[in-house]
Amino acid sequence: MIYRRVFDYPWRFRGMLDEFERMRQMMDRLVTETEGAFPIARAGVFPLVNLTENKDNFFIRAELPGVEKDDLEISATSNSVSISGERKIPQEEEGARYHRREREAGRFSRIITLGAEIQPDKVEAGLKNGVLTVTIPKAEIAKPKQITVK
Amino acid sequence: MANAQTKALKTKEKQEVMTPAEQTRPGAVFTPSVDIFETEQKITILADMPGVKADDLNIDLRDNTLTLLGEIAPVEGPDEEDVLIEYETGKYFRQFTLSEVIDQEKIDAQLKNGVLRLTLPKVEKATPKKILVKAE
């Protein structure tokens, strides 16, 4: 109850403190709620990718609906893979009236740096149902070795 | 148009479907992006549904409501571990109300590279009939 001694207007000040406390609680709630809702960290560069790994390979997957395999360019260095290309949306017939236009066309380019050395000459890529999967074999040196305890 | 073709693509978050009722089956449900255009003869819908196989796609038209439902099979191997996850996968669901009368027999659906192309031909307009009022 220190504020009573500091300020001459205890009643009004108490109201203000309550108000601040309420605000703080609301901010706390906002922060905790938002944290749960957006658990995913994104680079914000198209296309969004999912990177997974197993013992021998890295896998990069990206959703690229409507992208032809000839419009896609993939290259690899010793520790990164670059995906670039263009999504084309062909012109529809004359006289078509659009109700909705949500799909977008454009160029894209992205470089994904991997946490370990890879074999760039053995990278394979497949495009199926609009989902790109790049299989990237890890370099021998980067593969985990089983060590037996003697 | 040429300008639009070469612009850089921006990332677009997948839109999760917000329904008042809860889904009976677990898993995320997303709204596919669509283009819809119309000519004198037909309505065409293009929908982005990456990862959906032709067998897993359900298209239903009844009472002027068109329902698109695409199911997704997991693509990841069993021994894979996530390193970086930027997008989630799940079902695709979207409904449209069609005001025109559609010739159900001639609906055509094609799925290519994860894009559905749905052609809905309109019913030939019946010639206006003149109604005679009979006087008693």
Side-chain angles (χ1 to χ4, degrees), chain B residues 65-68 93-97:
Chain B
T65 301
L66 176 75
T67 307
L68 307 177
F93 177 81
R94 198 152 176 180
Q95 280 187 320
F96 298 102
T97 308

Side-chain angles (χ1 to χ4, degrees), chain B residues 113-133:
Chain B
N113 288 335
V115 179
L116 168 72
R117 187 185 188 93
L118 190 62
T119 313
L120 307 159
K122 295 180 194 172
V123 169
E124 306 241 337
K125 281 241 167 68
T127 41
K129 243 197 229 160
K130 207 162 193 176
I131 293 147
L132 286 172
V133 182

Side-chain angles (χ1 to χ4, degrees), chain B residues 24-97:
Chain B
T24 48
R25 272 185 281 175
V29 183
F30 298 100
T31 306
S33 294
V34 296
D35 281 357
I36 303 178
F37 52 89
E38 179 180 354
T39 60
E40 295 286 313
Q41 298 85 31
K42 60 181 195 252
I43 298 170
T44 308
I45 297 178
L46 297 173
D48 287 346
M49 297 175 139
V52 177
K53 292 193 203 85
D55 297 342
D56 299 333
L57 182 59
N58 267 301
I59 303 161
D60 184 82
L61 177 64
R62 62 180 77 177
D63 300 336
N64 281 345
T65 301
L66 176 75
T67 307
L68 307 177
L69 177 66
E71 306 261 358
I72 290 262
V75 284
E76 294 187 4
D79 58 341
E80 287 177 37
E81 276 175 50
D82 295 346
V83 179
L84 167 77
I85 300 297
E86 290 186 331
Y87 69 87
E88 287 172 277
T89 53
K91 273 176 265 191
Y92 293 97
F93 177 81
R94 198 152 176 180
Q95 280 187 320
F96 298 102
T97 308

Side-chain angles (χ1 to χ4, degrees), chain A residues 51-52 99 102 107 110, chain B residues 6 12 38 80 84 86:
Chain A
L51 175 65
T52 59
H99 294 226
E102 298 168 358
R107 285 176 293 106
R110 183 153 187 192
Chain B
T6 50
K12 211 157 109 186
E38 179 180 354
E80 287 177 37
L84 167 77
E86 290 186 331

